[in-house]
Amino acid sequence: MTRHSKNSTDGAVFTYHERQNMSGGSRAQRLGSDSLRPPHHCALSLGAPRHPVVTPGGIVFEKEFILAHLLAQKKKIAAGDAAASAASSAAATASHAA
């Protein structure tokens, strides 16, 4: 028997059983239907949107959640700007005092 016949399992082609063992099972086995949201539901609230907004990529959002997030972002930026201006004025005052 030649050496090549003894190394018959070193090919790049996997059997179904080998592929199952390497990747942890098929995609259907890993993700159940309860872990996926319906395509027409909001990606943030995971519920049916009352006022849907659709991105060019096809993702559905609830308008209320988007506006709440933008308002929170605006407040965070304003607080950061206020803190930065206070810190710069404190540093300017300290440098003039010295």
Side-chain angles (χ1 to χ4, degrees), residues 3 6 8-9 17-18 22 24 29-30 32 37-39 48 53 57 64 70 72 80 86 91:
R3 183 75 178 150
K6 293 181 181 178
S8 62
T9 59
H17 182 69
E18 290 170 336
M22 284 191 65
Q29 289 174 334
R30 288 180 294 200
R37 66 175 173 81
V53 177
E64 178 184 345
L70 290 175

Side-chain angles (χ1 to χ4, degrees), residues 49-63:
R50 287 178 285 183
H51 303 288
V53 177
V54 182
T55 65
I59 301 172
V60 178
F61 291 103
E62 173 72 44
K63 188 174 185 177

Side-chain angles (χ1 to χ4, degrees), residues 19-40:
R19 193 175 300 115
Q20 287 279 335
N21 288 338
M22 284 191 65
S23 65
S26 68
R27 187 170 292 176
Q29 289 174 334
R30 288 180 294 200
L31 297 175
S33 62
D34 57 335
S35 64
L36 301 174
R37 66 175 173 81
H40 60 278

